[in-house]
Amino acid sequence: MSRTGTTPVVRVTGTARRRLLVGSDRWHAGIGVREAVVCAVAVGAVLALAVVGLAIGDFPVPVRDVLGAFTGRTEGLARTVVLEWRLPRVAAAVLFGAALAVAGGVFQAVTRNPLASPDVVGLSNGAFTGMLVALVGFGGSWTARTGGALVGGLLTALVVALLARRDGSQGFRLIVVGIGVSATLAAFNTWVLLRADLETALLASAWGAGTLTTATAELVTPVACCVAVLLVLVGGRSAALAQLELGDDVAGTTGVDPRRDRAVLLLGAVALVSAVTAVAGPVAFVALAAPQIARRLVRSAGIPLAASAATGALVLLGSDLVAQHVVPLAVPVGVVTVVVGGAYLLWLLLRETRTPR
């Protein structure tokens, strides 16, 4: 079924690809059958882990009471524990994991480089630098932190783009420049922490490792709304993203404006990373690993954004549960993602070096 204009369109293209497109001629998203299956399995796993995360802890809550808290059948302390204490952190892990994965998928698709992600090219550290400066200089309000994170992320993206402009958005030059900028920002962040007062330094240090400990309903709700809107906007440009993966020349022949769509997608990715960093700090390696894991599960030549989002949510939520309940001493979730992501990055680098050119 297909109609022109802005009337909603639902059509299946290509029996071999079995791809469902939903939306309009100017705004639509596509998802293949295999990707839909991967998304369904990942979402099911996320829901199962979410129930576990809401049930276990210093005050265990039976699964039936966890479910009853949402239907109104559970009252008292159990309801407070589930809905007010644990739900914001679980929701933040799911939504932030999806946001980081989509941001990483956009960077990897636009640059056509599996090593490109916001944390590797320095955007996460840049957003944290902006948040840290806002925290030290303008107080700890959510508006100041979020604004500082967004400005820091955008400025870092601009600096990396200018320094790597010789090769455009492709090549390992972007990765090398990003790593150098990230290291410089990390050193600057350390200097700022050393000059800050003790309370601010301790608070910022916890953020610097990547943590969901401070994820309260009052803090998560506005950021979650921003992230949800950004995910919809970026997801609506998935068709343009798929064309950009083929190169600017091919993308231009299909009606895509490479410069405009690339700028819109990258701006959305930077905003996603900045919003997450404002609450959780620079959570490493989720943006790098999740899109590539999803691509291999879907067996897709490009980056599947929907599957990446589901995979990122699963990775971050699982890592947070490990950080809280498996490690002998509770650690920030960023510590777990660094271990998991570091092992993945090592495997990916070894695989790239063995791939014949």
Side-chain angles (χ1 to χ4, degrees), residues 39 46 49 84-85 88 115 143 157 167 185 219 254 276 293 339 342:
C39 288
V46 167
L49 287 181
E84 297 182 18
W85 296 358
L115 295 178
T143 302
D167 291 341
L185 290 172
L219 193 60
T254 60
V276 172
I293 294 173
V339 174

Side-chain angles (χ1 to χ4, degrees), residues 96-117:
F96 292 175
L100 291 173
V102 169
V106 168
F107 270 88
Q108 292 172 9
V110 169
T111 62
R112 288 181 284 172
N113 191 324
L115 295 178
S117 71

Side-chain angles (χ1 to χ4, degrees), residues 152-321:
L154 290 174
L155 289 178
T156 304
L158 179 62
V159 170
V160 172
L162 290 175
L163 293 177
R165 66 184 182 278
R166 181 182 301 175
D167 291 341
S169 59
Q170 285 83 39
F172 276 92
R173 180 183 177 88
L174 178 71
I175 306 300
V176 175
V177 168
I179 292 174
V181 171
S182 181
T184 302
L185 290 172
F188 176 77
N189 294 342
T190 301
W191 178 78
V192 172
L193 289 175
L194 290 174
R195 295 181 62 87
D197 61 84
L198 181 59
E199 183 178 355
T200 301
L202 291 174
L203 181 63
S205 297
W207 263 324
T211 180
L212 294 173
T213 304
T214 58
T216 61
E218 294 77 11
L219 193 60
V220 169
T221 300
V223 176
C225 293
C226 294
V227 168
V229 171
L230 288 169
L231 286 175
V232 172
L233 293 176
V234 173
R237 304 303 302 167
S238 60
L241 183 66
Q243 297 303 319
L244 287 173
E245 289 187 82
L246 303 176
D248 289 359
D249 294 336
V250 175
T253 62
T254 60
V256 173
D257 186 336
R259 288 189 176 182
R260 181 197 64 194
D261 289 318
R262 182 184 295 111
V264 170
L265 286 165
L266 290 177
L267 182 62
V270 172
L272 283 171
V273 173
S274 301
V276 172
T277 304
V279 176
V283 180
F285 286 112
V286 175
L288 173 69
Q292 292 300 314
I293 294 173
R295 185 175 69 85
R296 284 166 173 77
L297 291 174
V298 176
R299 298 179 185 174
S300 169
I303 301 295
L305 286 186
S308 297
T311 304
L314 180 60
V315 169
L316 188 55
L317 179 58
S319 298
D320 191 44
L321 291 179

Side-chain angles (χ1 to χ4, degrees), residues 88-100:
R89 181 163 183 163
V90 170
V94 172
L95 201 58
F96 292 175
L100 291 173

